[in-house]
Amino acid sequence: MTKDFWANLALCVFLGIVAIFGVAKIGSALTPKGLLVGEPRPSAEAAPLLPDVQLTGYQLGETLDRVVEADFEIRNNSGHDIRNIRILCEFYDADNNYVDRKWWLLNEVVPAGGEVAISRAQRRYVNTRSHTLNCEIADLQPVSEPFFTVHRVEPKGHDGGQGGEAGGH
């Protein structure tokens, strides 16, 4: 028995363990909503703000040229301005069986204590079997101060073309 035999045996044992592990875990990876689809989890900075931010209204429709129009109304009762709101909409058929899900990213800033209506029109596919939908806010970002700001100043001695002395260029 040579080194090649033991190397091949170790490789076969390793690949066998990986195959058994994969077959055992594929049952939990395939959910009713798809392969490896789980429930959304908010980011650490969004978790304390999420109970105070509400999706007060939503409506989705489709135009004749297959453009989905979505209208969302968001109320921010928290003490922070928010932006980059991720909304998850799940679609159900007439028998209330899950059909599909779509994500919407709203980049607008919703001020603290305010309510904003946001409209989006995007060309995307929505399953034609869907009759009802349920939307919820899955994640958001609090607005923070920028890391740096750019200050622009006029050069010294520049009069902006208003006359004055003709030198100094």
Side-chain angles (χ1 to χ4, degrees), residues 18-57:
V18 169
I20 291 171
F21 180 75
V23 169
K25 293 295 181 180
I26 194 72
S28 64
L30 185 59
T31 67
K33 296 181 180 180
L35 185 64
L36 298 172
V37 176
E39 292 301 316
R41 293 188 192 135
S43 61
E45 59 187 3
L49 299 176
L50 215 51
D52 296 327
V53 179
Q54 301 164 347
L55 182 62
T56 57

Short mmCIF file of all heavy atoms in Angstrom, two decimals, residues 18-57:
data_model
loop_
_atom_site.label_atom_id
_atom_site.label_comp_id
_atom_site.label_asym_id
_atom_site.label_seq_id
_atom_site.Cartn_x
_atom_site.Cartn_y
_atom_site.Cartn_z
N VAL A 18 -18.81 14.88 2.78
CA VAL A 18 -19.41 16.08 2.19
C VAL A 18 -20.73 15.72 1.50
O VAL A 18 -21.73 16.44 1.63
CB VAL A 18 -18.43 16.77 1.22
CG1 VAL A 18 -19.11 17.84 0.39
CG2 VAL A 18 -17.26 17.36 1.98
N ALA A 19 -20.78 14.61 0.77
CA ALA A 19 -22.01 14.20 0.08
C ALA A 19 -23.11 13.85 1.08
O ALA A 19 -24.27 14.25 0.89
CB ALA A 19 -21.72 13.02 -0.84
N ILE A 20 -22.79 13.15 2.13
CA ILE A 20 -23.79 12.79 3.14
C ILE A 20 -24.31 14.05 3.83
O ILE A 20 -25.51 14.20 4.05
CB ILE A 20 -23.20 11.79 4.16
CG1 ILE A 20 -22.98 10.44 3.49
CG2 ILE A 20 -24.10 11.65 5.38
CD1 ILE A 20 -22.20 9.45 4.32
N PHE A 21 -23.42 14.97 4.17
CA PHE A 21 -23.82 16.22 4.80
C PHE A 21 -24.73 17.02 3.86
O PHE A 21 -25.74 17.59 4.29
CB PHE A 21 -22.58 17.05 5.17
CG PHE A 21 -22.90 18.35 5.83
CD1 PHE A 21 -23.31 18.39 7.15
CD2 PHE A 21 -22.78 19.54 5.13
CE1 PHE A 21 -23.61 19.59 7.76
CE2 PHE A 21 -23.08 20.75 5.73
CZ PHE A 21 -23.49 20.77 7.05
N GLY A 22 -24.39 17.09 2.59
CA GLY A 22 -25.20 17.82 1.61
C GLY A 22 -26.59 17.23 1.45
O GLY A 22 -27.58 17.95 1.40
N VAL A 23 -26.69 15.90 1.38
CA VAL A 23 -27.99 15.25 1.25
C VAL A 23 -28.82 15.45 2.50
O VAL A 23 -30.04 15.66 2.44
CB VAL A 23 -27.81 13.75 0.92
CG1 VAL A 23 -29.11 13.00 1.04
CG2 VAL A 23 -27.22 13.59 -0.47
N ALA A 24 -28.19 15.41 3.66
CA ALA A 24 -28.92 15.59 4.92
C ALA A 24 -29.43 17.02 5.07
O ALA A 24 -30.50 17.25 5.63
CB ALA A 24 -28.03 15.23 6.10
N LYS A 25 -28.70 18.01 4.56
CA LYS A 25 -29.08 19.41 4.71
C LYS A 25 -29.97 19.93 3.59
O LYS A 25 -30.55 21.00 3.73
CB LYS A 25 -27.83 20.30 4.81
CG LYS A 25 -27.04 20.07 6.07
CD LYS A 25 -27.85 20.47 7.27
CE LYS A 25 -27.07 20.28 8.54
NZ LYS A 25 -27.82 20.65 9.71
N ILE A 26 -30.09 19.23 2.47
CA ILE A 26 -30.89 19.74 1.36
C ILE A 26 -32.36 19.84 1.74
O ILE A 26 -33.08 20.71 1.26
CB ILE A 26 -30.70 18.89 0.08
CG1 ILE A 26 -31.26 19.62 -1.15
CG2 ILE A 26 -31.39 17.55 0.22
CD1 ILE A 26 -30.44 20.77 -1.58
N GLY A 27 -32.82 19.01 2.65
CA GLY A 27 -34.21 19.08 3.08
C GLY A 27 -34.52 20.37 3.80
O GLY A 27 -35.60 20.93 3.66
N SER A 28 -33.58 20.88 4.58
CA SER A 28 -33.82 22.13 5.28
C SER A 28 -33.51 23.33 4.40
O SER A 28 -33.95 24.44 4.69
CB SER A 28 -32.97 22.20 6.55
OG SER A 28 -31.60 22.20 6.21
N ALA A 29 -32.77 23.14 3.32
CA ALA A 29 -32.45 24.25 2.41
C ALA A 29 -33.62 24.55 1.48
O ALA A 29 -33.80 25.68 1.06
CB ALA A 29 -31.21 23.92 1.60
N LEU A 30 -34.44 23.56 1.18
CA LEU A 30 -35.58 23.75 0.30
C LEU A 30 -36.80 24.11 1.12
O LEU A 30 -37.40 23.27 1.77
CB LEU A 30 -35.83 22.48 -0.52
CG LEU A 30 -36.91 22.58 -1.57
CD1 LEU A 30 -36.58 23.67 -2.58
CD2 LEU A 30 -37.08 21.25 -2.27
N THR A 31 -37.15 25.38 1.13
CA THR A 31 -38.29 25.87 1.91
C THR A 31 -39.50 25.99 0.99
O THR A 31 -39.36 25.91 -0.24
CB THR A 31 -37.96 27.24 2.53
OG1 THR A 31 -37.83 28.19 1.47
CG2 THR A 31 -36.67 27.19 3.34
N PRO A 32 -40.69 26.21 1.54
CA PRO A 32 -41.86 26.41 0.67
C PRO A 32 -41.73 27.63 -0.23
O PRO A 32 -42.42 27.75 -1.23
CB PRO A 32 -43.01 26.60 1.66
CG PRO A 32 -42.55 25.98 2.91
CD PRO A 32 -41.06 26.13 2.94
N LYS A 33 -40.83 28.56 0.10
CA LYS A 33 -40.65 29.77 -0.70
C LYS A 33 -39.49 29.66 -1.67
O LYS A 33 -39.21 30.61 -2.39
CB LYS A 33 -40.46 30.97 0.23
CG LYS A 33 -41.68 31.22 1.08
CD LYS A 33 -41.51 32.40 1.97
CE LYS A 33 -42.76 32.61 2.78
NZ LYS A 33 -42.66 33.74 3.67
N GLY A 34 -38.79 28.53 -1.70
CA GLY A 34 -37.71 28.36 -2.65
C GLY A 34 -36.47 27.77 -1.99
O GLY A 34 -36.45 27.48 -0.79
N LEU A 35 -35.44 27.60 -2.77
CA LEU A 35 -34.19 27.03 -2.30
C LEU A 35 -33.39 28.08 -1.55
O LEU A 35 -33.12 29.16 -2.08
CB LEU A 35 -33.37 26.48 -3.48
CG LEU A 35 -32.09 25.76 -3.13
CD1 LEU A 35 -32.40 24.49 -2.34
CD2 LEU A 35 -31.33 25.39 -4.39
N LEU A 36 -33.02 27.80 -0.32
CA LEU A 36 -32.23 28.67 0.55
C LEU A 36 -32.88 30.04 0.78
O LEU A 36 -32.20 31.03 0.94
CB LEU A 36 -30.82 28.86 -0.02
CG LEU A 36 -29.98 27.59 -0.16
CD1 LEU A 36 -28.69 27.88 -0.90
CD2 LEU A 36 -29.69 26.98 1.20
N VAL A 37 -34.21 30.08 0.80
CA VAL A 37 -34.93 31.33 1.06
C VAL A 37 -35.36 31.33 2.51
O VAL A 37 -36.08 30.45 2.95
CB VAL A 37 -36.15 31.48 0.14
CG1 VAL A 37 -36.94 32.72 0.50
CG2 VAL A 37 -35.71 31.53 -1.30
N GLY A 38 -34.92 32.32 3.25
CA GLY A 38 -35.28 32.43 4.66
C GLY A 38 -36.04 33.71 4.92
O GLY A 38 -36.27 34.53 4.03
N GLU A 39 -36.41 33.88 6.14
CA GLU A 39 -37.10 35.10 6.54
C GLU A 39 -36.07 36.24 6.61
O GLU A 39 -34.95 36.05 7.05
CB GLU A 39 -37.77 34.92 7.89
CG GLU A 39 -38.93 33.95 7.85
CD GLU A 39 -40.02 34.38 6.88
OE1 GLU A 39 -40.37 35.57 6.86
OE2 GLU A 39 -40.49 33.52 6.12
N PRO A 40 -36.46 37.44 6.20
CA PRO A 40 -35.52 38.57 6.22
C PRO A 40 -35.21 38.98 7.66
O PRO A 40 -36.07 38.96 8.53
CB PRO A 40 -36.26 39.68 5.48
CG PRO A 40 -37.70 39.33 5.60
CD PRO A 40 -37.77 37.82 5.67
N ARG A 41 -33.96 39.36 7.89
CA ARG A 41 -33.53 39.85 9.20
C ARG A 41 -33.00 41.26 9.03
O ARG A 41 -32.18 41.53 8.16
CB ARG A 41 -32.41 38.97 9.74
CG ARG A 41 -32.86 37.59 10.07
CD ARG A 41 -31.77 36.81 10.79
NE ARG A 41 -32.14 35.43 10.84
CZ ARG A 41 -31.32 34.43 10.56
NH1 ARG A 41 -30.08 34.68 10.23
NH2 ARG A 41 -31.74 33.19 10.63
N PRO A 42 -33.46 42.17 9.88
CA PRO A 42 -32.97 43.55 9.76
C PRO A 42 -31.52 43.66 10.24
O PRO A 42 -31.04 42.84 11.03
CB PRO A 42 -33.91 44.34 10.67
CG PRO A 42 -34.43 43.35 11.64
CD PRO A 42 -34.47 42.03 10.92
N SER A 43 -30.84 44.68 9.78
CA SER A 43 -29.47 44.93 10.20
C SER A 43 -29.45 45.36 11.67
O SER A 43 -30.49 45.73 12.23
CB SER A 43 -28.82 45.99 9.32
OG SER A 43 -29.54 47.20 9.44
N ALA A 44 -28.29 45.35 12.27
CA ALA A 44 -28.16 45.69 13.69
C ALA A 44 -28.55 47.15 13.95
O ALA A 44 -29.15 47.45 14.98
CB ALA A 44 -26.73 45.46 14.16
N GLU A 45 -28.25 48.05 13.03
CA GLU A 45 -28.60 49.45 13.24
C GLU A 45 -30.08 49.72 12.98
O GLU A 45 -30.63 50.71 13.46
CB GLU A 45 -27.73 50.35 12.35
CG GLU A 45 -27.87 50.05 10.88
CD GLU A 45 -26.89 50.82 10.02
OE1 GLU A 45 -26.04 51.55 10.57
OE2 GLU A 45 -26.97 50.70 8.80
N ALA A 46 -30.76 48.84 12.25
CA ALA A 46 -32.17 49.03 11.95
C ALA A 46 -33.09 48.41 12.98
O ALA A 46 -34.22 48.85 13.14
CB ALA A 46 -32.50 48.45 10.58
N ALA A 47 -32.62 47.39 13.69
CA ALA A 47 -33.48 46.66 14.62
C ALA A 47 -34.15 47.55 15.68
O ALA A 47 -35.36 47.41 15.90
CB ALA A 47 -32.69 45.53 15.27
N PRO A 48 -33.45 48.50 16.32
CA PRO A 48 -34.14 49.32 17.30
C PRO A 48 -35.13 50.33 16.69
O PRO A 48 -36.07 50.76 17.35
CB PRO A 48 -33.03 50.06 18.04
CG PRO A 48 -31.80 49.85 17.28
CD PRO A 48 -32.01 48.72 16.33
N LEU A 49 -34.93 50.69 15.42
CA LEU A 49 -35.80 51.68 14.78
C LEU A 49 -37.01 51.05 14.10
O LEU A 49 -38.02 51.72 13.89
CB LEU A 49 -35.01 52.47 13.73
CG LEU A 49 -33.83 53.28 14.22
CD1 LEU A 49 -33.11 53.92 13.05
CD2 LEU A 49 -34.27 54.33 15.20
N LEU A 50 -36.93 49.79 13.74
CA LEU A 50 -37.97 49.14 12.96
C LEU A 50 -39.35 49.16 13.60
O LEU A 50 -40.35 49.35 12.89
CB LEU A 50 -37.54 47.71 12.63
CG LEU A 50 -37.97 47.17 11.28
CD1 LEU A 50 -37.61 48.11 10.16
CD2 LEU A 50 -37.36 45.82 11.02
N PRO A 51 -39.50 49.00 14.92
CA PRO A 51 -40.85 49.06 15.49
C PRO A 51 -41.51 50.45 15.36
O PRO A 51 -42.73 50.55 15.37
CB PRO A 51 -40.63 48.72 16.97
CG PRO A 51 -39.35 48.00 17.02
CD PRO A 51 -38.52 48.55 15.91
N ASP A 52 -40.71 51.50 15.20
CA ASP A 52 -41.25 52.85 15.11
C ASP A 52 -41.48 53.32 13.68
O ASP A 52 -41.97 54.42 13.46
CB ASP A 52 -40.32 53.84 15.81
CG ASP A 52 -40.22 53.57 17.30
OD1 ASP A 52 -41.22 53.13 17.88
OD2 ASP A 52 -39.14 53.81 17.87
N VAL A 53 -41.11 52.49 12.70
CA VAL A 53 -41.30 52.83 11.30
C VAL A 53 -42.38 51.91 10.75
O VAL A 53 -42.30 50.70 10.87
CB VAL A 53 -39.99 52.68 10.50
CG1 VAL A 53 -40.21 53.00 9.04
CG2 VAL A 53 -38.91 53.56 11.08
N GLN A 54 -43.42 52.52 10.16
CA GLN A 54 -44.57 51.74 9.71
C GLN A 54 -44.83 51.94 8.23
O GLN A 54 -44.70 53.05 7.72
CB GLN A 54 -45.82 52.15 10.49
CG GLN A 54 -45.70 51.97 11.98
CD GLN A 54 -46.78 52.73 12.72
OE1 GLN A 54 -47.47 53.57 12.16
NE2 GLN A 54 -46.94 52.42 13.99
N LEU A 55 -45.21 50.86 7.59
CA LEU A 55 -45.68 50.92 6.21
C LEU A 55 -47.20 51.09 6.30
O LEU A 55 -47.94 50.14 6.53
CB LEU A 55 -45.31 49.63 5.48
CG LEU A 55 -45.67 49.53 4.01
CD1 LEU A 55 -44.95 50.61 3.22
CD2 LEU A 55 -45.31 48.17 3.48
N THR A 56 -47.67 52.34 6.18
CA THR A 56 -49.08 52.64 6.44
C THR A 56 -49.97 52.32 5.24
O THR A 56 -51.18 52.15 5.42
CB THR A 56 -49.26 54.11 6.83
OG1 THR A 56 -48.73 54.94 5.80
CG2 THR A 56 -48.56 54.41 8.14
N GLY A 57 -49.40 52.24 4.06
CA GLY A 57 -50.21 51.91 2.89
C GLY A 57 -49.33 51.49 1.73
O GLY A 57 -48.20 51.94 1.60
#
